[in-house]
Amino acid sequence: MNLRYDTFFIGGTWVRPATDRVIIPVNASTEEQLGQVPEGAEADIDAAVAAARQAFDDPSGWSSWEPARRADVMDRLADAIDRRADGFVERVSAQNGMPVAVARQLETGYPSAVLRYYAGLARAAEFTETRAGLFGGSIQVRRVPVGVVAAIVPWNFPQALSMFKIAPAMATGCTLVIKPSPETVLDAYLLAEAMEEAGVPAGVVNIVPGGREVGAYLVAHPQVDKVAFTGSTAAGRTIAETCGRLLRPVTLELGGKSAAIVLDDADLDLAKIGEGLFGSTLLNNGQTCFLGTRVLAPRSRYAEVVDAFTALAGSLTVGDAGDATTQIGPMATARQRDRVESYIAKGRGEGARITVGGGRPAGLERGWFVQPTVFADVDNGSVIAQEEIFGPVLSLIPYDDVDHAVRIANDSDFGLGGTVWTSDPERGAAVAHRVRTGTIGVNRYIPDPAAPFGGVKASGLGRELGPEGLAGYQQTQTVYV
Ligand code: NAD
């Protein structure tokens, strides 16, 4: 792959960058260069925000359209994305190491499903409600678009997480500037091409890749009305401070360290639950925010749970992300692998016991691979149980009874995902209700576009997806008639 772009998608057209700085994306599995794109500078952000502003402020433009008319554009965009499915799979998986089997499911079909879902909501939602006033008269409660959105996305699910913002923003009549992560830029260009083909009106979506400085500049830009951020908790805190100072609405989807609670009645047959366990604890090489990476195991069946997770992690095919049989690809960057390896070293230093993995896989000298790794006998207070590792590393923690399991699950700075494993789904749901987290699954976990997704505590503020996701892109205007 050698893809070269020398313009940005701004104002519905291809605009030359302000500087000659470039980003060179690299194949995480082979360390080969994949092409080159321009790196956004402040002047490029100014141009993108101006285009989004103009598109939003146009009195007969996008934000004034009937929602159903916007929905038609969104459906066309979903079709244009689907037509490029192979390209998205290839580009995402090469850049960030996501196995192609995962990318096909979550970085093409999923984003277009989110877009079609929000097109449907745009057609069905009531954007104005009339109420009887308590003191007489009638009142219009209008849900108006918040304005120009700065959307900042990470590299781990670049298309899905962009679409979590683009789809509700388009449905409500907002316009956007998207800043993709420097690690995943080539898929963003494919998305821009889909926008162009679908006839998304000029300036509704503008895309400028760049690093954190340009991201910070975008967040604080005076012409931006709302910030939607997905990324690390550290960056989220900085962004929240800026937005606090500016009184600017912000949605933050941040890190996680969720609990997978195995109840004493769980069926541990990997033939039955292996796929679900994998998807909720190790998906995308462990580079997924909602994974249940703290596995809580009842003392009565502790050895069995250790054996099951050891067998699961040990059975996974590790290899080039572009290979259809790969289940675990490389870490997205060398820095990310260093980080994961430093946590594995900390786990050893803290006295946890490695039951499988712990090193680099044999025969994969190129690419940033780490073996799927399981630590047993982990103390929930230890670093590997409290900090997000963002790699294929699980910590197994024993518990005495369900109350103890719930206490451990809640003893975390984070609260994003989680699972409960049981042969009694009702009992599982009752335990799930006691966990302080934004989302949780019983015997399965996958963020569903029809339901709100997001975290509590250090995992973030606000919700994306579901009808609730529209609210993040709207303000109410009350008119007393
Ligand atoms: P990151 O915070 O380093 O970067 C995310 C994005 O923000 C990138 O585009 C980056 O350039 C930009 N950025 C960084 N600092 C910024 C700043 N101060 N101002 C403006 N922009 C800034 O995160 P990452 O390493 O790319 O992604 C991994 C993290 O994302 C993990 O912590 C993971 O849990 C989290 N994540 C959360 C969710 C969720 O929905 N909760 C989903 C995926 C990933």
Side-chain angles (χ1 to χ4, degrees), residues 19-377:
T19 72
D20 55 9
R21 291 207 304 261
V22 294
I23 296 171
I24 298 181
V26 175
N27 186 318
S29 299
T30 63
E31 301 181 35
E32 283 160 9
Q33 296 187 358
L34 293 167
Q36 179 178 307
V37 310
E39 179 180 356
E42 292 183 359
D44 304 305
I45 294 289
D46 288 341
V49 174
R53 187 81 259 163
Q54 195 184 347
F56 185 79
D57 291 343
D58 177 354
S60 59
W62 179 253
S63 57
S64 75
W65 286 14
E66 284 300 316
R69 191 175 165 201
R70 290 197 296 267
D72 291 344
V73 174
M74 294 166 70
D75 281 339
R76 287 206 305 272
L77 177 58
D79 293 343
I81 289 171
D82 285 350
R83 279 194 287 277
R84 289 166 176 76
D86 291 344
F88 280 114
V89 170
E90 195 187 1
R91 293 186 190 197
V92 169
S93 130
Q95 293 170 109
N96 73 2
M98 180 185 297
V100 284
V102 177
R104 180 147 318 267
Q105 196 192 349
L106 295 174
E107 284 288 286
T108 59
Y110 194 101
S112 55
V114 170
L115 203 44
R116 288 194 183 93
Y117 171 74
Y118 274 102
L121 282 187
R123 290 190 182 95
E126 292 290 334
F127 287 88
T128 300
E129 182 195 327
T130 304
R131 294 181 196 165
L134 189 62
F135 301 127
S138 77
I139 301 171
Q140 290 176 356
V141 179
R142 303 177 65 228
R143 295 185 201 288
V144 297
V146 69
V148 172
V149 176
I152 296 182
V153 283
W155 45 260
N156 62 336
F157 288 92
Q159 285 303 308
L161 296 170
S162 295
M163 200 52 75
F164 282 21
K165 298 156 184 57
I166 295 169
M170 286 180 82
T172 55
C174 292
T175 61
L176 304 98
V177 176
I178 301 168
K179 191 208 75 66
S181 231
E183 292 82 1
T184 41
V185 287
L186 297 174
D187 54 298
Y189 275 84
L190 203 53
L191 179 63
E193 288 166 11
M195 300 258 173
E196 194 176 33
E197 182 187 287
V200 174
V204 169
V205 182
N206 310 274
I207 305 179
V208 179
R212 58 184 52 194
E213 291 78 19
V214 95
Y217 182 76
L218 173 60
V219 165
H221 199 288
Q223 297 297 317
V224 162
D225 298 303
K226 185 228 157 74
V227 175
F229 173 76
T230 301
S232 62
T233 295
R237 287 189 203 282
T238 307
I239 289 169
E241 279 171 20
T242 303
C243 291
R245 181 165 46 79
L246 297 170
L247 298 180
R248 181 165 291 174
V250 60
T251 311
L252 301 167
E253 300 285 4
L254 309 177
K257 190 77 191 180
S258 302
I261 305 177
V262 180
L263 295 183
D264 56 7
D265 63 354
D267 183 345
L268 291 172
D269 180 356
L270 290 181
K272 292 187 198 150
I273 65 160
E275 207 180 314
L277 275 188
F278 172 74
S280 61
T281 61
L282 288 160
L283 183 75
N284 192 20
N285 323 329
Q287 300 176 137
T288 308
C289 52
F290 57 70
L291 295 178
T293 50
R294 291 184 297 145
V295 179
L296 312 191
R299 281 195 200 280
S300 58
R301 297 184 66 196
Y302 184 64
E304 271 178 85
V305 176
V306 172
D307 287 350
F309 276 89
T310 304
L312 174 70
S315 72
L316 299 171
T317 306
V318 183
D320 189 314
D323 189 332
T325 60
T326 291
Q327 291 167 296
I328 296 282
M331 303 295 91
T333 60
R335 188 168 56 94
Q336 185 64 20
R337 181 175 65 179
D338 290 349
R339 184 184 145 91
V340 174
E341 289 183 335
S342 81
Y343 277 110
I344 292 176
K346 273 179 199 150
R348 287 185 208 273
E350 285 174 320
R353 171 168 62 96
I354 291 187
T355 66
V356 65
R360 294 183 182 181
L364 292 168
E365 274 68 45
R366 308 277 293 168
W368 302 299
F369 293 93
V370 178
Q371 283 179 319
T373 299
V374 173
F375 279 103
D377 310 341

